[in-house]
Amino acid sequence: MILCCGDALIDMIPSTDAAGAPCLVPHGGGAVFNTAIALGRLGIATGFLSGLSTDLFGELLIENLHASEVATTHVIISNRPTTLAFVKLNNGDATYTFYDENTAGRMLDPADLPRIPRDVTALYFGGISLINEPAAEFYRALAQHEAGKRVIVMDPNIRASFISDEPRYRKRLAQMIAVTDILKVSDEDLNWIVPGPLTPGEKAAILREQGPDILILTRGSEGATAYFGDDQTVDVPVKKVTVADTVGAGDTFNAGFLASLQRHGLLTLAGLKTLSAEHLTQALDYGSRVAAITVSRHGANPPWAQEVGA
């Protein structure tokens, strides 16, 4: 099983009602939540670990997880409110305003780490859950505790405008990168983590020296690159589609990439040591195909396995 650990929230997405007036429609979202949903739909045994509310939005998130065949055994339930994200779309590109004070997802205690069962072979972290405390410290502690026992995957999905204490966030991010086996970053993430005039390859090398065996760099319409082994790289172009919006694009790319590795028995600590350029090319290509379907329709609505094909 892949256990996705992190943010689940409600995206309030602009729409129009039956009379044509503007309105906001609630959709389950959050970077880690989106990846869990996509993995479940792709037929991968997936669990979700986060703090969820007993309110109506929390109930909606649980329903969404179950509908996509994601296990909720590790969900931590409380009566705190659900995190809300108000989405603004500009030519299909999404920007977010978050409301996250005292929420069920944020108020997790790093002293109360759950026991992770043996069937979990990989833990996935990312999103805004790595920014705000105490949840950010909960996930940092969990990653450090499980490192070396199972594969640690992280996509920080950095929202710079949401970070109130940058030095503290950078320190935590560095601690998590140090125990991460597979690190995925966008080109914007990479330039934020390693600022300056270096090339993407040089910046990727700096991050790999800090811990990750594999670094995946997504470059929007320019495709994705995997850095691995002894300065090896593979590139995969993006799949060309008509874009409805980009909500959940990177999250579902991650799901496709991980699903490919999992299906081939490679998403284990031993399996990562055998990864070849062919394996990574195949995984990047599958991730690109999954993301292409997601961006072709509105909202974070990842495809089911039969929609993607082999």
Side-chain angles (χ1 to χ4, degrees):
M1 174 182 281
I2 300 174
L3 185 61
C4 296
C5 311
D7 53 327
L9 51 83
I10 295 295
D11 283 325
M12 303 298 291
I13 296 181
S15 185
T16 54
D17 64 17
C23 64
L24 292 169
V25 179
H27 292 270
V32 178
F33 177 89
N34 291 339
T35 298
I37 292 288
L39 281 166
R41 293 186 183 185
L42 292 173
I44 301 301
T46 306
F48 189 64
L49 169 58
S50 185
L52 295 185
S53 176
T54 55
D55 66 18
L56 64 99
F57 290 133
E59 292 175 357
L60 175 62
L61 292 170
I62 289 284
E63 290 171 4
N64 288 172
L65 290 164
H66 288 168
S68 294
E69 302 179 4
V70 178
T72 56
T73 307
H74 292 90
V75 167
I76 301 167
I77 301 292
S78 77
N79 60 4
R80 298 178 185 275
T82 297
T83 301
L84 301 179
F86 288 82
V87 182
K88 181 179 180 180
L89 297 174
N90 183 18
N91 295 323
D93 291 326
T95 56
Y96 302 83
T97 300
F98 294 95
Y99 291 83
D100 190 42
E101 291 298 323
N102 200 39
T103 59
R106 181 170 177 176
M107 303 307 291
L108 298 178
D109 191 338
D112 296 329
L113 296 184
R115 186 185 67 82
I116 305 301
R118 290 184 179 180
D119 65 341
V120 173
T121 57
L123 280 78
Y124 173 86
F125 298 89
I128 65 167
S129 52
L130 304 184
I131 298 175
N132 283 338
E133 298 180 29
E137 285 298 297
F138 173 91
Y139 293 116
R140 187 239 352 124
L142 181 60
Q144 290 179 322
H145 185 267
E146 298 300 323
K149 303 173 188 176
R150 348 173 177 257
V151 175
I152 304 297
V153 185
M154 181 171 65
D155 175 3
N157 197 14
I158 295 167
R159 307 289 185 191
S161 63
F162 198 54
I163 299 168
S164 59
D165 188 339
E166 184 176 319
R168 190 169 177 85
Y169 173 72
R170 284 188 178 275
K171 178 181 178 180
R172 182 184 306 112
L173 189 61
Q175 290 171 328
M176 294 193 70
I177 289 173
V179 298
T180 294
D181 300 293
I182 302 175
L183 176 65
K184 182 265 186 174
V185 289
S186 67
D187 46 5
E188 292 179 353
D189 293 337
L190 182 63
N191 290 329
W192 191 91
I193 298 170
V194 187
L198 299 175
T199 67
E202 290 169 333
K203 293 182 178 185
I206 289 172
L207 288 185
R208 288 192 63 212
E209 288 174 357
Q210 296 175 17
D213 293 324
I214 301 157
L215 185 141
I216 307 299
L217 173 64
T218 55
R219 295 171 284 112
S221 61
E222 297 181 13
T225 301
Y227 298 86
F228 68 106
D230 186 14
D231 296 325
Q232 293 177 269
T233 62
V234 295
D235 295 284
V236 170
V238 72
K239 306 303 177 186
K240 302 297 183 181
V241 295
T242 300
V243 175
D245 65 53
T246 60
V247 178
D251 309 325
T252 52
F253 169 88
N254 294 344
F257 176 82
L258 295 175
S260 178
L261 295 184
Q262 184 80 326
R263 285 199 185 109
H264 291 90
L266 298 168
L267 197 59
T268 64
L269 292 174
L272 292 187
K273 298 183 184 302
T274 69
L275 277 182
S276 66
E278 182 179 358
H279 293 139
L280 284 168
T281 300
Q282 189 174 30
L284 291 173
D285 179 74
Y286 192 70
S288 180
R289 287 192 282 140
V290 172
I293 294 173
T294 300
V295 302
S296 71
R297 48 205 195 189
H298 292 287
N301 182 16
W304 293 82
Q306 58 268 30
E307 296 179 80
V308 187

